């Protein structure tokens, strides 16, 4: 999915035989739909009017956010950080509970 510089390959403008463009585009469409659902639930759909599915020259699906305002980019970054923070806290809590359960089980023996 990346070019030699490590960035996303160019979008597919001229299709080549044997490349699974439809598969990649379909995957991108499902993912873009999921992002759109979440943005709508948060009332942010109008901040991402260019959200769309696409495909690159290799047939890899791409989700394009389109041109967005700096405030929308900042909001998206804050949402990602909040999600990661919540996920990390849940993971730490789960590990702590597992450790406590293991200690109880070993002391019960």
């Amino acid at each position: 999915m990346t070019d030699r510089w490590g960035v996303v390959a160019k979008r597919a403008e001229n299709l080549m035989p044997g490349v699974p463009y439809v598969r990649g585009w379909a995957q991108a469409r499902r993912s873009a739909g999921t992002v759109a659902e979440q943005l709508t639930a948060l009332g942010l759909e109008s901040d991402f009017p260019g959200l769309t599915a696409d495909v690159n020259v290799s047939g890899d699906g791409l989700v394009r956010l389109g041109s967005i305002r700096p405030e929308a980019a900042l909001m998206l970054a804050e949402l990602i950080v909040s999600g990661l923070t919540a996920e990390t806290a849940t993971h730490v809590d789960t590990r702590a509970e597992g450790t406590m359960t293991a200690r109880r089980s070993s002391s019960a023996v």
Side-chain angles (χ1 to χ4, degrees), residues 6-26:
V7 297
V8 176
K10 293 181 183 178
R11 66 181 295 274
E13 294 177 358
N14 298 315
L15 304 183
M16 294 173 23
V19 179
Y21 296 110
V22 174
R23 186 179 318 147
W25 180 83

Side-chain angles (χ1 to χ4, degrees), residues 20-51:
Y21 296 110
V22 174
R23 186 179 318 147
W25 180 83
Q27 181 183 13
R29 185 169 185 248
R30 287 189 299 273
S31 297
T34 301
V35 171
E37 288 173 10
Q38 296 302 313
L39 290 172
T40 299
L42 293 168
L44 302 174
E45 68 277 5
S46 62
D47 289 306
F48 296 86
L51 178 64

Side-chain angles (χ1 to χ4, degrees), residues 11-102:
R11 66 181 295 274
E13 294 177 358
N14 298 315
L15 304 183
M16 294 173 23
V19 179
Y21 296 110
V22 174
R23 186 179 318 147
W25 180 83
Q27 181 183 13
R29 185 169 185 248
R30 287 189 299 273
S31 297
T34 301
V35 171
E37 288 173 10
Q38 296 302 313
L39 290 172
T40 299
L42 293 168
L44 302 174
E45 68 277 5
S46 62
D47 289 306
F48 296 86
L51 178 64
T52 187
D54 204 347
V55 66
N56 70 14
V57 294
S58 302
D60 300 317
L62 304 172
V63 176
R64 296 186 175 273
L65 297 178
S67 297
I68 58 175
R69 296 177 302 114
E71 297 84 8
L74 180 60
M75 201 176 342
L76 182 59
E78 289 171 353
L79 287 169
I80 291 169
V81 169
S82 296
L84 289 172
T85 302
E87 185 176 313
T88 301
T90 301
H91 183 68
V92 168
D93 290 345
T94 304
R95 288 179 66 194
E97 288 174 13
T99 302
M100 291 177 69
T101 303

